[in-house]
Amino acid sequence: MKQDKAGRPFRIGPTWIAAIACLAAPGCGLVAPEPRFRTNEAYLINQEIKQGDLEQSDRTVLRRNLKNLMVAAFGTPNEPHVPELEGIDAKQLFDPAKLAIAAGPVASDRFGAPKGLYREHCAHCHGITGDGNGSTAAFLNPYPRDYRRGLFKFKSTPGAEPPTHDDLLRVMTNGVPGTAMPSFRLLNGDEIDALIHYVRYLAIRGQVERALIEYSFQGELDLVEATRETLSEPESAAFVKSEIVAVATRWRQTETLATTVPSPPADFESAASIERGRSLFFGPIASCVKCHGETALGDGTTTDYDEWAKELMPNEPDKLARFLDRGAALEPRTIRPRNLRLNVFRGGRRPVDLYWRLHNGILASGMPAASMRSDGAGDDDPRLAPDDLWHLVAYVRSLPYDALSSPRDAVSYQRERP
Amino acid sequence: MIETRPRSRADAIPPQGDGSWPRSRSAWPARLSACVVAATFPLIWVGGLVTTYDAGMAVEDWPGTYGYNLFLYPWTTWWAGPFDLFIEHGHRLLGALVGVLTIGLAAVTFACDPRASARGAAVGALVLVCLQGGLGGLRVLLDARALAMAHGCVGPAFLAYAVAMSVHLVPSRARTGSCESGRSGAGRVPLTGPAPERAPLKTAALATAFVYLQLILGAYIRHIPVDASVNAFRFAVLFHLALAVVVFAYALALAWSLRRARSGLRLLAASLGAATVAQPGLGAAVWVVKYGWPFGLSETYAIAGSTIVANSFWQAMTVTAHVAIGSAILGISTAITAVLARRSGWGAAAVVEPWTVVGGAAR
Amino acid sequence: MSDLPRRVTATIVSTLLAVVGCARALPDDARADPDAVRAIRASLDAKPAASEPESGSVAATPTGFADFTGMFRVDGDPPAMPPVRVEGGDAAYCAPGGKAPPAETVVVGPGGGLAHVLVALDSKIPAEWEHERYAAARDALLTGDQAFDQKGCRFLTHVFAMRATQSVEVRNSDSVSHNTNIAAKGKARITNDVIPGGSKSIYAPGGPSGIPFDVGCNIHPWMRAYMFVAESPYFSVTNLEGQFELRGLPAGVELTFRVWHETLGGKWDSATVNGAAAGWSRGKFAITLQPGQSENWEIVVDAAAFR
């Protein structure tokens, strides 16, 4: 052990480095600039791969024009903005007063009325841009949701339709069990409402950005050729606005699109109902067994990716590398069909929640919508009737109480499988 | 093996007969210094709560509170007001208390203790407490999370400083003796048991340094910029975990090596050991209450379906307890280092050592 | 004692500095120009003019009709297609005897013709310019031969094109279930329905997709096809001979066409047309046909482009 002249047991090196680190570490953050919305780099790369690479200089121009356009249309994280949308009750979608509560830095006034709710509660995982790429994201499984596609999993509307206000409220209030998404039931209603408006704002913003990227590559509004002057011309403004209106209209219309749920049959969840559900589960029409597996442990098809990951072309390593090298996305993970024996359903476990999941599917995850009988079709139509779905719900709800759901039995069952 | 010198009240009586240092053995500086420590620890706890509830901007002005003088803000409004205002204003009041205590300490030290090292230490404490108060104020005025992090790093450093100073200010015969003759630099008390006493001191100093680095990392994780990259958080967390192993090993080795020390030191060592053992569990609990079960444990039958509740009482308490125990570990290991340094007779230089390590605040 | 503690300290400290100081860096992002933002926002927030001239339409009026046909030929040896990765519960059915079907990324016919190339009119034209031959099928349900079918756990049409006004029968001629995940773009509707073996469902896109998009099956992740939902009736996908044909095009006006292939995307910036280099821009080119003209092209693609 070396000693310096004063006989101290360790030399100045590490001690002083430590001392400097202690001072420097907090200091480094001092220059932190105001947070900004980030450009959808992943989708730009995706479109370059699909539609043809750009010259480096064109890339720069495209990004700058896109950035100017997006800031002009939607503002910044500190000052969100929405252009006047004719023919749309935009206040129902994103009320400026509510956006103001959710946006900006965290603070509160003397009466406790908060500001900056999104940064306080959401941004660390979902990212300041709502890209699901917040600083904690890499550790979380599943990854935090990327709002920018307008795709949400746990909702009452079919296909890729946006979620209704109530759908978002349900997820905010209940959280998503078994994931890092917490329940915000301790926040008051106005705060949750403000956050829902802000999430919708981020989603619509992201969808418009994606559309503009697509249009640029298709040449409809070529952002490589564009300049500040051409972008401020009425024609391009009208084009951009029509796109915002188109996206916003879908979010307004979705409130009427929630799938109506018929009342369950009289024998719902009786032994016969569960047995009927079981045969449907293993049968060819519902085809649940294909992905959720014979054990219902979610061990059927396990090599698929969800819609977000698919955009990174995970099966083509050289293309995937382009996304990861730029830090534009997190390492894609394969999606696991739900283990139905845990009694945990991320979108809720009420019968109506499960009915919605079965009827509409979970499009973003790859779970397809059930093959439903068309209206007025008789029993000769092999596809599913609403009562069949209810029996399936009954069977799925009975699975956790099945003898096999004790983990040890399930494992031994797996071993015995041919 | 540490305690070789007999120690009693009688020993502590200063030898001088001419009364030249009549007040040098006054216990008041040490007592006040202990008060500073006692007030600083809850201050850190409340400060942790402020961060946990993101209440740093609950009062938007500084040094006043919504136009009122800090001390004149109506207590009924404070008591009955929103929770974030309650803890933020409470944090400010406690901070002011620590400030006042530190000023008192400086005054008493200048009045009672002629040693330059003691006076220097008191002035240092005053400087640190002003710096910390200023950082807290700037954090509010500039609304900068980075300053909040700096504020969160200097807090524990001040605690460590206060602890080391308290040890330094406790009067003893050896101390006064060395001080009297130490002016010429000649009469330094010789090392009593050179080899055996060095090892625990070095371990203690390193443990303190590591604990402080660990606290900085923790503060960084808590105050991570809202637009920080995934890698920043990933590195910070993994590094916090790796350093936890190092701290765990050092702190337990230190506690073990002091198992036969005299009772005061042994008590410190025992509490260090207990806090060190509790801390990783708390850290894991923090992860679970904030981000859910890691490593796919949420798919485990027994704990499947647990839902995190944002801003819940237990979430806040777990996180704040982890922060507070971290500070406690720092305080205890600093105390052990200071006691060991003093007992091994390195004089003022050695006592100051932990401060240079931990606070970057050289004499 | 060794130098170990010192080394530990030094390592920890330098990593700490690196982490805290530098790890915040994200991929560089463009910065907004305040002046440009102000100008664009003023224009966005302005009330729209009373009458908006329709943009992107062709100014002249057509003088008749013309045909545009051609073939894509690959020059050189195209890459061999590896078999797709078949796994999961249906492997025995989908790859009988362990023989999985080959990928269809690049399909070249015996005569060197490049299949699965989409050639479509890119210009927006008014409905009255369309040739009357297309009127009958405008709102048709594509069924029978024209249906979108799957058999042997592969889509029988690898690149499928239809009009936005039409709808198509999505069939499953297998005995195992599929789900047809139509990940539409643009204004076309996204769906993902289970289609049990021997069953079918109807897909009505409702709007043009602008670009071709992926169709897949989540039960069998190796299944892949592309769909294109066109606004106009003028589109064609090359067959195994590499041939395409666009008949009854409006003549006398400049028309922009778009060429797309799975691996080449819209990357075509140059092509050899009838032996001469033609300047294409991202798979687009413009031509003006004369009434009654029958334009026929031979487009040569260098096999190296697929690597």
Side-chain angles (χ1 to χ4, degrees):
Chain A
M1 187 76 210
K2 289 176 182 169
Q3 299 187 355
D4 67 7
K5 283 178 196 153
R8 274 180 255 170
F10 46 86
R11 275 150 59 107
I12 216 121
T15 316
W16 277 98
I17 296 174
I20 293 163
C22 300
L23 289 177
C28 280
L30 289 180
V31 289
E34 178 188 321
R36 290 180 289 149
F37 287 132
R38 301 193 61 76
T39 305
N40 193 338
E41 195 63 30
Y43 201 53
L44 282 166
I45 297 173
N46 174 284
Q47 288 296 296
E48 274 202 43
I49 292 174
K50 292 211 155 177
Q51 316 260 355
D53 285 339
L54 298 174
E55 299 288 331
Q56 189 55 43
S57 58
D58 291 348
R59 277 187 191 143
T60 313
V61 174
L62 192 162
R63 279 163 177 72
R64 201 177 54 222
N65 280 326
L66 182 64
K67 179 65 96 183
N68 288 340
L69 208 45
M70 290 303 293
V71 174
F74 290 98
T76 62
N78 280 0
E79 288 169 36
H81 173 266
V82 184
E84 198 69 36
L85 302 175
E86 288 79 22
I88 290 199
D89 190 2
K91 217 174 168 190
Q92 300 292 322
L93 285 178
F94 21 57
D95 185 343
K98 289 180 176 156
L99 293 191
I101 296 175
V106 184
S108 59
D109 68 11
R110 71 178 75 191
F111 308 109
K115 288 182 94 161
L117 284 170
Y118 184 79
R119 270 179 231 180
E120 180 176 352
H121 296 294
C122 319
H124 288 295
C125 299
H126 291 286
I128 200 89
T129 319
D131 54 5
N133 211 346
S135 53
T136 64
F139 284 107
L140 307 183
N141 193 355
Y143 288 138
R145 181 61 46 244
D146 172 359
Y147 308 140
R148 295 173 303 173
R149 294 187 67 161
L151 278 183
F152 291 79
K153 284 183 177 173
F154 306 119
K155 60 196 185 70
S156 55
T157 54
E161 297 302 334
T164 65
H165 190 93
D166 286 348
D167 291 334
L168 291 173
L169 180 64
R170 203 176 308 116
V171 171
M172 293 279 293
T173 315
N174 298 339
V176 180
T179 74
M181 173 72 185
S183 153
F184 288 97
R185 60 170 181 255
L186 298 179
L187 269 59
N188 73 38
D190 290 344
E191 293 172 14
I192 294 183
D193 209 41
L195 282 173
I196 292 175
H197 279 249
Y198 195 73
V199 165
R200 212 154 30 204
Y201 156 78
L202 287 178
I204 292 173
R205 183 192 169 281
Q207 285 176 277
V208 170
E209 184 182 27
R210 286 171 63 93
L212 291 176
I213 291 171
E214 280 172 26
Y215 287 137
S216 176
F217 277 91
Q218 290 167 44
E220 303 236 352
L221 180 68
D222 194 332
L223 295 175
V224 173
E225 304 292 327
T227 62
R228 182 210 297 187
E229 285 72 33
T230 62
L231 288 178
S232 15
E233 280 166 8
E235 290 77 37
S236 55
F239 182 86
V240 173
K241 223 156 148 182
S242 70
E243 194 48 46
I244 302 176
V245 168
V247 175
T249 305
R250 284 189 62 191
W251 278 86
R252 279 300 292 146
Q253 284 172 349
T254 204
E255 299 294 337
T256 62
L257 294 180
T259 299
T260 46
V261 178
S263 44
D267 66 340
F268 177 57
E269 298 207 315
S270 67
S273 162
I274 291 172
E275 187 48 37
R276 169 85 182 120
R278 205 188 81 85
S279 65
L280 286 169
F281 185 91
F282 287 94
I285 308 297
S287 308
C288 312
V289 66
K290 295 281 181 198
C291 295
H292 292 282
E294 290 174 47
T295 57
L297 290 168
D299 56 355
T301 300
T302 52
T303 53
D304 201 21
Y305 292 90
D306 66 19
E307 289 300 314
W308 291 275
K310 273 183 185 161
E311 214 156 79
L312 311 177
M313 311 182 182
N315 290 321
E316 297 168 81
D318 51 327
K319 290 179 181 166
L320 175 62
R322 285 183 62 172
F323 296 91
L324 301 183
D325 291 351
R326 290 278 295 148
L330 297 163
E331 188 88 41
R333 302 185 182 126
T334 53
I335 185 138
R336 274 207 58 166
R338 183 110 312 270
N339 176 349
L340 299 173
R341 292 185 180 272
L342 290 176
N343 209 9
V344 177
F345 302 101
R346 289 185 174 161
R349 48 187 281 198
R350 299 173 306 163
V352 60
D353 293 322
L354 297 175
Y355 187 94
W356 274 328
R357 291 305 94 73
L358 292 172
H359 187 277
N360 295 337
I362 308 171
L363 184 126
S365 73
M367 161 133 173
S371 170
M372 297 300 289
R373 229 174 251 184
S374 40
D375 290 339
D379 282 347
D380 53 327
D381 189 331
R383 292 176 295 176
L384 303 177
D387 279 1
D388 292 331
L389 276 198
W390 278 121
H391 296 316
L392 263 173
V393 170
Y395 175 63
V396 168
R397 276 167 59 87
S398 78
L399 272 170
Y401 308 102
D402 191 89
L404 276 180
S405 295
S406 135
R408 210 183 313 152
D409 290 352
V411 168
S412 62
Y413 177 71
Q414 262 182 311
R415 286 212 195 92
E416 286 160 18
R417 248 186 339 163
Chain B
M1 96 190 199
I2 301 301
E3 182 59 32
T4 51
R5 205 182 300 116
R7 191 182 161 86
S8 67
R9 290 258 161 225
D11 286 342
I13 297 168
Q16 39 294 47
D18 58 74
S20 57
W21 307 116
R23 290 167 296 181
S24 66
R25 59 173 300 277
S26 166
W28 280 106
R31 283 177 190 156
L32 256 177
S33 185
C35 286
V36 170
V37 172
T40 304
F41 185 61
L43 178 61
I44 287 178
W45 187 296
V46 177
L49 263 182
V50 168
T51 302
T52 305
Y53 280 104
D54 235 324
M57 291 304 292
V59 180
E60 64 209 4
D61 52 349
W62 187 86
T65 293
Y66 286 118
Y68 285 93
N69 177 297
L70 174 63
F71 301 104
L72 300 181
Y73 188 71
W75 71 271
T76 44
T77 321
W78 169 49
W79 203 255
F83 185 64
D84 51 356
L85 183 139
F86 174 72
I87 51 177
E88 168 65 11
H89 186 65
H91 182 60
R92 290 176 179 201
L93 285 175
L94 253 178
L97 173 67
V98 170
V100 168
L101 284 173
T102 312
I103 294 171
L105 170 68
V108 170
T109 308
F110 269 82
C112 306
D113 198 332
R115 287 174 298 158
S117 65
R119 293 178 168 192
V123 170
L126 205 52
V127 169
L128 257 185
V129 91
C130 290
L131 170 74
Q132 176 67 343
L135 271 176
L138 278 179
R139 179 262 178 276
V140 172
L141 294 179
L142 302 179
D143 189 9
R145 264 184 104 81
L147 283 176
M149 179 189 157
H151 187 65
C153 290
V154 176
F158 179 75
L159 177 72
Y161 187 98
V163 166
M165 185 169 58
S166 300
V167 173
H168 186 59
L169 291 178
V170 169
S172 75
R173 196 178 64 133
R175 174 59 57 212
T176 39
S178 77
C179 189
E180 187 184 10
S181 48
R183 302 244 144 192
S184 61
R188 181 162 288 179
V189 174
L191 298 177
T192 43
E197 288 206 359
R198 281 280 183 92
L201 172 57
K202 201 175 62 193
T203 313
L206 275 171
T208 309
F210 288 143
V211 169
Y212 190 66
L213 284 180
Q214 185 71 333
L215 278 172
I216 291 186
L217 274 171
Y220 181 70
I221 291 170
R222 269 163 72 75
H223 296 94
I224 191 154
V226 73
D227 56 349
S229 73
V230 161
N231 280 344
F233 187 78
R234 179 157 40 194
F235 280 129
V237 167
L238 294 180
F239 196 28
H240 194 63
L241 288 177
L243 201 51
V245 175
V246 175
V247 166
F248 192 77
Y250 267 86
L252 287 191
L254 178 62
W256 181 251
S257 70
L258 294 175
R259 68 193 179 283
R260 290 192 223 288
R262 72 183 163 85
S263 63
L265 204 50
R266 212 167 57 213
L267 185 67
L268 280 176
S271 36
L272 178 69
T276 309
V277 167
Q279 188 71 336
L282 265 175
V286 165
W287 190 270
V288 171
V289 296
K290 288 219 37 123
Y291 303 117
W293 295 90
F295 314 121
L297 284 174
S298 59
E299 295 287 303
T300 312
Y301 196 78
I303 52 177
S306 57
T307 307
I308 305 162
V309 179
N311 285 18
S312 66
F313 176 78
W314 285 112
Q315 189 183 56
M317 283 308 127
T318 315
V319 173
T320 311
H322 189 59
V323 170
I325 292 196
S327 295
I329 292 177
L330 178 70
I332 298 168
S333 67
T334 309
I336 294 176
T337 312
V339 170
L340 287 178
R342 185 177 149 159
R343 315 211 69 251
S344 69
W346 286 353
V351 178
V352 169
E353 184 66 19
W355 315 338
T356 44
V357 174
V358 301
R363 290 139 284 169
Chain C
M1 274 280 253
S2 70
D3 270 357
L4 187 68
R6 243 154 46 96
R7 290 204 186 131
V8 172
T9 320
T11 317
I12 287 175
V13 167
S14 41
T15 319
L16 179 71
L17 276 175
V19 166
V20 178
C22 317
R24 291 190 62 231
L26 286 160
D28 49 326
D29 197 13
R31 276 185 176 276
D33 165 12
D35 291 338
V37 166
R38 219 170 296 127
I40 298 170
R41 183 173 287 181
S43 158
L44 277 175
D45 286 345
K47 292 271 175 235
S51 68
E52 198 59 47
E54 50 189 70
S55 52
S57 65
V58 187
T61 44
T63 51
F65 293 98
D67 292 345
F68 178 30
T69 57
M71 85 165 278
F72 284 83
R73 193 168 57 75
V74 176
D75 187 23
D77 291 330
M81 286 290 107
V84 293
R85 219 175 83 196
V86 175
E87 52 199 352
D90 289 334
Y93 178 87
C94 297
K99 271 190 63 172
E104 294 170 277
T105 318
V106 180
V107 175
V108 178
L114 177 61
H116 305 331
V117 180
L118 171 77
V119 184
L121 178 67
D122 198 56
S123 309
K124 286 202 175 82
I125 56 166
E128 58 269 23
W129 290 13
E130 288 169 17
H131 195 280
E132 59 188 16
R133 66 195 297 164
Y134 295 108
R138 191 184 145 81
D139 303 314
L141 168 65
L142 304 178
T143 176
D145 283 356
Q146 295 176 301
F148 186 71
D149 199 357
Q150 38 207 327
K151 189 163 176 55
C153 303
R154 54 182 284 269
F155 294 106
L156 295 186
T157 323
H158 188 64
V159 176
F160 182 88
M162 67 188 290
R163 284 194 78 172
T165 45
Q166 296 172 329
S167 46
V168 61
E169 206 171 82
V170 180
R171 305 188 62 92
N172 177 1
S173 300
D174 273 323
S175 61
V176 296
S177 298
H178 291 301
N179 69 297
T180 310
N181 189 342
I182 301 180
K185 295 275 180 186
K187 308 261 184 292
R189 192 169 60 91
I190 302 173
T191 71
N192 182 2
D193 292 344
V194 172
I195 306 190
S199 180
K200 66 190 177 195
S201 108
I202 306 290
Y203 174 62
S209 66
I211 43 173
F213 52 84
D214 298 5
V215 180
C217 169
N218 297 88
I219 301 174
H220 311 109
W222 62 87
M223 291 173 67
R224 168 73 57 234
Y226 295 87
M227 250 192 210
F228 176 70
V229 183
E231 185 136 41
S232 82
Y234 301 103
F235 53 84
S236 177
V237 179
T238 58
N239 56 17
L240 272 179
E241 281 76 50
Q243 291 162 336
F244 68 91
E245 50 176 45
L246 302 169
R247 301 208 181 268
L249 285 160
V253 288
E254 192 187 65
L255 298 174
T256 305
F257 293 88
R258 178 190 178 86
V259 176
W260 178 91
H261 180 268
E262 178 177 349
T263 51
L264 302 174
K267 296 168 203 177
W268 266 314
D269 274 339
S270 64
T272 311
V273 175
N274 294 340
W280 290 6
S281 166
R282 310 178 59 74
K284 287 185 186 178
F285 57 89
I287 50 174
T288 309
L289 301 163
Q290 297 312 311
Q293 185 185 354
S294 236
E295 182 78 357
N296 188 36
W297 285 12
E298 190 198 44
I299 301 147
V300 177
V301 181
D302 190 350
F306 298 115
R307 297 214 173 77

